[in-house]
Amino acid sequence: MLGNFAYHNPTKLYFGDGALCYLNEELPKYGKVVQLIYGGGSIKKNGLYDEIVSILKKNGKTIVEDGGVMPNPTVEKLREGVRIARENGVDFLLAVGGGSCCDYAKAVSVSVKCGEDPWDKYFIRFEEPTCEILPVGCVLTMAGTGSEMNGGSVITNHEAKLKIGHVFGDEVMPKFSILNPKYTYSLPKRQMVAGVYDIFNHICEQYFSGTDDNVSDYLAEGLMKSVVKNSRAAVLDPENYEARSNIMWAATWALNTLIACGKETDWMVHMIGQAVGAYTDQTHGMTLAAVSLPYYRFIMPYGVAKFARFAKEVWGVSEEGKSEKELAEAGLAEMEKWMKEIGVSMNISSLGVTPDMIEGIADATILLDGGYKKLTRDDVVRILKESL
Ligand code: NZQ
Ligand code: ZN
């Protein structure tokens, strides 16, 4: 293992059926005025909203409503959330929902006491918070992003056609997150499999880099195998608790900084996927799925040994009679079969991308250099064309 690192994760997790009761232990640690952040209404339909409101009231909290957080939260919604928090003297932000609600809560938390425009400060200039940060807690209803145990916050600016993530430090990470796999039962299948692919790709982004022997890669392989196995089971039976709980736990570990320890990381599927998202506002996991195979087939020759290991260790492909390159290709073919089997989007045309958008999407793609090949803008254009 060649890289140096510090590892510390301050988020406390409560996991399992019944975990919501621990909200009673956490709430007394924070102030009286709670901004209750949620999305478009799924928590009202499945009864979670009523349960949370009742716990907040029992704990003597004043509830400030902040619903309507959309998937891929926008900069306009962020500004509204900041205004709500300021006008009501909010002490604590409680996000109840998927990654969008958790990400949004973090973005509000660093902006309420900050005089500058949050978009410019955090998502254009990538500055760190210099003001007091409001504490955030999460009750997670969708497995995918890992936002429940990381500092990431992704905000979309439709006017600028940009979707940008800022990974904040420890002080912005949720103070606690409550994870009950049963809350994910009411997810539509499309959202469930988008979340599954998001998890899988988070692991890939941290796995496909480096040539040293690194414990993070062994952890990544175990997580990937678990995601593949349990996603198959969950697609057949969405109320399979064992499968849904494994998926939820794998999601957290896929992106809570552990498997990046000692490694460089790639993240180019996310950069291209986010640019597709900026143009289409499509579901995050689907934007990743739609560009993944052209991307991985393009970079495979530059990291062929790792792709061959991926084939053997994650997909169980036999190396007998195959060259390293053939083995690597067979691994990606297995991945493609699994993606089709669970039903994720396999091209960007199905997400609304038309050929005339390609140049703009390439312009909106941030180029990083942690993977096996540093892409040029022309490479991005080629990958996008192959993803159509
Ligand atoms: O808004 P509601 O009505 O709650 O419906 C949501 C939404 O329509 C629905 N949903 C969530 N839980 C449900 C449910 N429907 C029924 N039952 C439930 N239990 O699912 C839809 C999608 O929710 P959303 O929160 O948008 O999904 P996800 O968790 O995938 O979050 C996506 C956002 O996270 C960002 C993405 O870019 C995107 O903006 N990401 C955040 C990351 C991080 N913090 O580290 C990393 C990721 O790579 C990602 O970029
Ligand atoms: Zn993601």
Side-chain angles (χ1 to χ4, degrees):
M1 186 142 113
L2 299 180
N4 303 326
F5 59 90
Y7 182 74
H8 172 66
N9 193 314
T11 303
K12 182 164 187 177
L13 293 179
Y14 297 99
F15 191 97
D17 191 9
L20 191 61
C21 66
Y22 292 102
L23 198 51
N24 290 305
E25 280 185 22
E26 289 295 331
L27 287 175
K29 299 178 190 167
Y30 305 98
K32 190 175 162 58
V33 185
V34 177
Q35 187 158 334
L36 178 55
I37 291 168
Y38 56 95
S42 70
I43 66 162
K44 289 199 169 161
K45 278 192 213 133
N46 63 20
L48 185 55
Y49 174 86
D50 291 338
E51 277 188 75
I52 304 253
V53 165
S54 141
I55 294 174
L56 286 169
K57 284 188 178 155
K58 209 178 84 192
N59 282 272
K61 303 293 180 184
T62 303
I63 301 169
V64 175
E65 287 271 333
D66 184 9
V69 178
M70 61 292 285
N72 310 320
T74 62
V75 65
E76 290 80 13
K77 179 65 190 162
L78 167 58
R79 292 185 185 125
E80 181 186 295
V82 171
R83 183 183 51 73
I84 293 172
R86 284 181 186 156
E87 284 177 4
N88 294 280
V90 163
D91 300 305
F92 181 66
L93 303 164
L94 183 63
V96 185
S100 292
C101 288
C102 303
D103 279 20
Y104 166 83
K106 290 178 224 172
V108 172
S109 80
V110 293
S111 307
V112 176
K113 310 268 172 162
C114 155
E116 295 160 80
D117 180 71
W119 173 257
D120 291 342
K121 182 175 172 68
Y122 299 120
F123 299 94
I124 296 294
R125 299 200 302 272
F126 284 98
E127 291 174 16
E128 293 313 316
T130 42
C131 53
E132 188 192 330
I133 298 163
L134 290 190
V136 170
C138 301
V139 179
L140 193 67
T141 64
M142 165 157 176
T145 64
S147 189
E148 66 276 13
M149 203 183 190
N150 70 35
S153 174
V154 183
I155 297 295
T156 297
N157 185 328
H158 287 297
E159 202 188 335
K161 285 201 160 25
L162 291 171
K163 180 177 184 185
I164 296 181
H166 185 131
V167 182
F168 291 99
D170 289 3
E171 66 288 355
V172 182
M173 288 163 73
K175 301 294 172 215
F176 66 87
S177 286
I178 291 174
L179 279 65
N180 179 347
K182 285 194 175 167
Y183 295 158
T184 68
Y185 287 178
S186 57
L187 268 173
K189 184 195 168 210
R190 184 181 152 80
Q191 290 297 338
M192 176 182 83
V193 299
V196 162
Y197 190 75
D198 191 22
I199 304 166
F200 190 83
N201 190 254
H202 291 158
I203 309 169
C204 290
E205 300 274 30
Q206 298 163 91
Y207 180 75
F208 288 117
S209 60
T211 50
D212 56 326
D213 189 51
N214 191 313
V215 71
S216 290
D217 290 333
Y218 298 89
L219 294 170
E221 285 160 356
L223 288 170
M224 285 193 271
K225 284 201 269 193
S226 169
V227 172
V228 170
K229 180 176 176 198
N230 288 289
S231 61
R232 285 181 163 139
V235 164
L236 293 177
D237 175 12
E239 300 207 359
N240 177 335
Y241 183 84
E242 187 176 59
R244 299 308 285 263
S245 61
N246 280 327
I247 291 169
M248 199 170 211
W249 194 219
T252 302
W253 287 96
L255 195 49
N256 68 358
T257 73
L258 177 81
I259 63 165
C261 286
K263 293 207 62 168
E264 290 206 64
T265 49
D266 182 349
W267 294 108
M268 276 315 299
V269 169
H270 270 68
M271 293 305 104
I272 303 172
Q274 278 177 206
V276 169
Y279 272 70
T280 61
D281 203 25
Q282 279 284 346
T283 301
H284 171 65
M286 295 307 193
T287 63
L288 307 177
V291 301
S292 280
L293 285 160
Y295 174 72
Y296 287 123
R297 289 189 169 125
F298 182 71
I299 63 156
M300 193 261 281
Y302 305 91
V304 67
K306 192 59 157 291
F307 281 90
R309 173 174 164 176
F310 174 70
K312 264 195 316 187
E313 301 299 333
V314 179
W315 300 101
V317 180
S318 158
E319 54 192 320
E320 224 179 279
K322 294 187 187 70
S323 67
E324 193 175 53
K325 184 165 171 278
E326 285 166 346
L327 184 58
E329 282 165 350
L332 289 176
E334 287 299 317
M335 175 171 140
E336 182 170 2
K337 254 195 258 168
W338 166 70
M339 290 169 74
K340 288 180 174 162
E341 184 187 328
I342 63 169
V344 291
S345 304
M346 299 304 287
N347 58 67
I348 53 177
S349 307
S350 65
L351 301 177
V353 174
T354 47
D356 58 299
M357 293 180 189
I358 297 282
E359 297 292 328
I361 296 174
D363 286 337
T365 301
I366 297 170
L367 301 174
L368 304 173
D369 61 1
Y372 286 121
K373 181 184 189 306
K374 175 152 192 204
L375 297 190
T376 62
R377 187 184 173 283
D378 285 351
D379 295 336
V380 174
V381 169
R382 178 180 157 169
I383 290 162
L384 286 166
K385 285 185 176 161
E386 280 170 21
S387 304
L388 273 170

